[in-house]
Amino acid sequence: MASTLGELRSSKCTPLKGAENGLSVTEVQALLALLPGWAPSDDGKTISKDFAFKNYYRTMGFANAIAWMANQQDHHPDISFGYSRCRVAYSTHSVGGISLNDLICAAKIDQLSLT
């Protein structure tokens, strides 16, 4: 399992099925420490982050970049957005909670938001 931000960003998602591929609360907390702003849901089955932008054009550009990356990784988030905000949420439905794939994609999204 990845233990640094660089390892998360350079990793690729792999198909996962079954609860045994879900991360423990301790594993999720350790990896979220590498990803400021990302937080687990109250039930511990999802991670999410809110992003703010100057205008609709930048918000849509970011959402489209996420869509492209999600297709490359074959791991797709729930995205909601408005004029100057975007909320991204990840959960691996096939494992019933949070998997390494969710954290890999979160790291890649954070890298997108820096460019």
Side-chain angles (χ1 to χ4, degrees):
M1 182 167 68
S3 61
T4 69
L5 183 56
E7 289 174 348
L8 280 175
R9 287 180 177 164
S10 64
S11 295
K12 181 161 177 39
C13 292
T14 57
L16 300 172
K17 285 190 177 187
E20 68 276 7
N21 289 300
L23 298 177
S24 70
V25 171
T26 304
E27 291 170 318
V28 171
Q29 289 173 340
L31 291 170
L32 285 179
L34 303 172
L35 300 165
W38 288 89
S41 60
D42 290 340
D43 66 4
K45 294 183 184 253
T46 304
I47 60 169
S48 64
K49 184 174 180 178
D50 295 318
F51 296 86
F53 298 94
K54 292 180 182 180
N55 55 44
Y56 189 74
Y57 177 79
R58 290 182 187 267
T59 304
M60 288 306 303
F62 182 67
N64 285 325
I66 292 171
W68 184 88
M69 182 276 302
N71 279 329
Q72 294 296 310
Q73 295 299 315
D74 196 25
H75 194 64
H76 303 87
D78 290 329
I79 303 173
S80 58
F81 57 88
Y83 180 81
S84 61
R85 61 168 179 76
C86 183
R87 180 177 183 80
V88 182
Y90 268 104
S91 180
T92 304
H93 304 288
S94 61
V95 304
I98 300 170
S99 76
L100 184 58
N101 288 345
D102 301 316
L103 283 297
I104 289 169
C105 288
K108 291 178 183 296
I109 288 171
D110 277 356
Q111 193 170 25
L112 285 173
S113 71
L114 298 174
T115 57

